[in-house]
Amino acid sequence: MKNRLTYKITTLALFVMFTVAACNPYKNLTKISAMDQIQYAYTVHYADLPSGIRMAYMDEGKGAETLVMIHGLGSYSQAWKKNISELSKKYRVIAIDLPGYGKSSKAPHSGMMTFYAGVVSEFIQQLKLGPVNLAGHSMGGQISMVLALAKPELVKRLILVDPAGFEAFHAGQKSWFKEVMTPNLVRLTSLEAIETNLASNFYRLPKDAHFMIEDRIAWRDASDFEAYCLAVSRSVAGMVDEPVLDKLDKLKQPTLIFFGEDDLLIPNRYLNPGFTKKIAEQGAAKIKNSKLIMVPKCGHFMMFEKAEVFNTETVNFPISSEPFIR
């Protein structure tokens, strides 16, 4: 009887142990002391800008033209890891970490779209890249459009991936965003919410995207994590306070636009329930020289979830200045 009881207790203990481990697959992640300790897919370089900002970036390929990639809200240059290898066969590909994100400097800043556009402009000029092609995902798409409008001489073409900026928000909605998205909300995001938030960016979360969850969890132990949280919070305010929707008709650059048909983030499902396709078509229609590609069974992280589609279409992006034919 005693042996049977011992066996049952041991079995139960093992069951509990393995169940807990299965429910928390990230508990054994290596702790980091700073966000720049996260491993990237490619060699990381640094540019010290005249403004005092240190920009981290990956730089691959030696193509005649340069493609600068700008990540989205809460993200980092690693979001482009499935695109860099293929696109570097045609372009010199540079994927940057915005100030406050990834391995770039974390000094507090406004988070305004004009601020980010100014930093990217400074970066382009510092590296003497000349007119570049800009690829922007989500918030990075809005930043790309702001820069293309402010400094058209620096931007040859635009590639927008599920871009922010195509959706309109009234004053009350803007206030709601700024009140809700506080640094504390970002800082206190639970492990479960981190997983859920990341999964909501995809039609179906790919196994090879789990590194984003692992990195986001690891960041919580970093000394500069609070600075990142502040940057994310202020970036949300920056997006809603500096809309580009009413300026899209002023964009002159050839523009390639991708949207996942099942994007759960655009439009905002709480504030502006509706269909992504409608928002995408309305925004694209305002940009005279543009081509819109709607990607089925795909969410907000289109360039990652459907990397082959993104890479192929971007490689075929016209080198000539001939306009797109709708």
Side-chain angles (χ1 to χ4, degrees), residues 8 46 83 97 105 127 146 150 154 191 199 235 255-256 270 284 324:
K8 288 183 178 180
Y46 294 90
N83 315 114
D97 282 336
S105 58
L127 270 63
V146 170
L154 294 182
L191 188 151
S235 296
T255 304
L256 183 59
Y270 298 102
F324 286 120

Side-chain angles (χ1 to χ4, degrees), residues 51-66:
S51 61
I53 292 171
R54 183 167 229 219
M55 291 280 286
Y57 63 99
M58 294 181 282
D59 189 348
E60 299 291 321
K62 301 183 183 299
E65 296 196 19
T66 300

Side-chain angles (χ1 to χ4, degrees), residues 16-280:
V16 171
M17 180 178 71
F18 286 119
T19 301
V20 170
C23 292
N24 184 12
Y26 308 108
K27 66 184 181 66
N28 293 322
L29 293 179
T30 302
K31 290 185 178 294
I32 61 172
S33 59
M35 288 178 64
D36 64 4
Q37 292 175 1
I38 293 290
Q39 294 297 309
Y40 277 26
Y42 299 91
T43 301
V44 177
H45 307 268
Y46 294 90
D48 292 309
L49 305 183
S51 61
I53 292 171
R54 183 167 229 219
M55 291 280 286
Y57 63 99
M58 294 181 282
D59 189 348
E60 299 291 321
K62 301 183 183 299
E65 296 196 19
T66 300
L67 175 63
V68 175
M69 295 170 150
I70 308 175
H71 63 78
L73 179 73
S75 191
Y76 56 163
S77 56
Q78 280 278 86
W80 303 97
K81 68 181 290 186
K82 290 176 71 172
N83 315 114
I84 294 173
S85 177
E86 187 64 30
L87 296 181
S88 63
K89 296 175 183 177
K90 172 182 176 179
Y91 296 103
R92 176 184 178 184
V93 177
I94 297 178
I96 66 172
D97 282 336
L98 292 168
Y101 294 84
K103 296 177 183 283
S104 288
S105 58
K106 303 292 191 304
H109 57 73
S110 68
M112 301 300 284
M113 299 298 99
T114 47
F115 165 78
Y116 287 126
V119 170
V120 177
S121 169
E122 190 179 6
F123 175 82
I124 291 170
Q125 295 176 78
Q126 173 86 353
L127 270 63
K128 297 181 171 57
L129 300 177
V132 303
N133 301 277
L134 274 186
H137 173 235
S138 195
M139 180 182 76
Q142 187 168 344
I143 294 168
S144 297
M145 289 184 278
V146 170
L147 177 53
L149 289 165
K151 299 276 187 178
E153 69 278 8
L154 294 182
V155 183
K156 294 184 71 172
R157 303 177 194 86
L158 288 170
I159 303 170
L160 308 176
V161 187
D162 297 277
F166 280 20
E167 185 177 2
F169 297 102
H170 59 63
Q173 292 172 328
K174 293 178 183 181
S175 295
W176 179 86
F177 267 122
K178 290 185 282 187
E179 289 172 5
V180 169
M181 187 58 75
T182 64
N184 265 346
L185 179 70
V186 181
R187 183 175 62 84
L188 299 175
T189 304
S190 67
L191 188 151
E192 292 78 10
I194 289 172
E195 292 183 285
T196 301
N197 292 344
L198 197 284
S200 69
N201 282 272
F202 297 91
Y203 176 74
R204 184 174 289 111
L205 179 65
K207 290 182 179 179
D208 58 0
H210 280 266
F211 75 92
M212 298 185 198
I213 299 175
E214 294 172 359
D215 288 352
R216 174 63 178 80
I217 293 170
W219 291 346
R220 300 191 300 178
D221 295 315
S223 60
D224 49 355
F225 178 60
E226 289 198 16
Y228 160 83
C229 296
L230 178 62
V232 172
S233 174
R234 289 184 173 178
S235 296
V236 171
M239 281 191 286
V240 298
D241 282 343
E242 291 188 324
V244 293
L245 184 60
D246 60 347
K247 301 174 184 176
L248 297 182
D249 61 333
K250 295 180 173 59
L251 286 169
K252 305 302 181 185
Q253 294 87 350
T255 304
L256 183 59
I257 307 165
F258 297 94
F259 266 97
E261 287 185 358
D262 300 282
D263 188 326
L264 296 180
L265 277 67
I266 299 175
N268 185 286
R269 293 306 191 256
Y270 298 102
L271 302 181
N272 294 319
F275 295 100
T276 299
K277 187 176 181 181
K278 181 179 179 181
I279 293 294

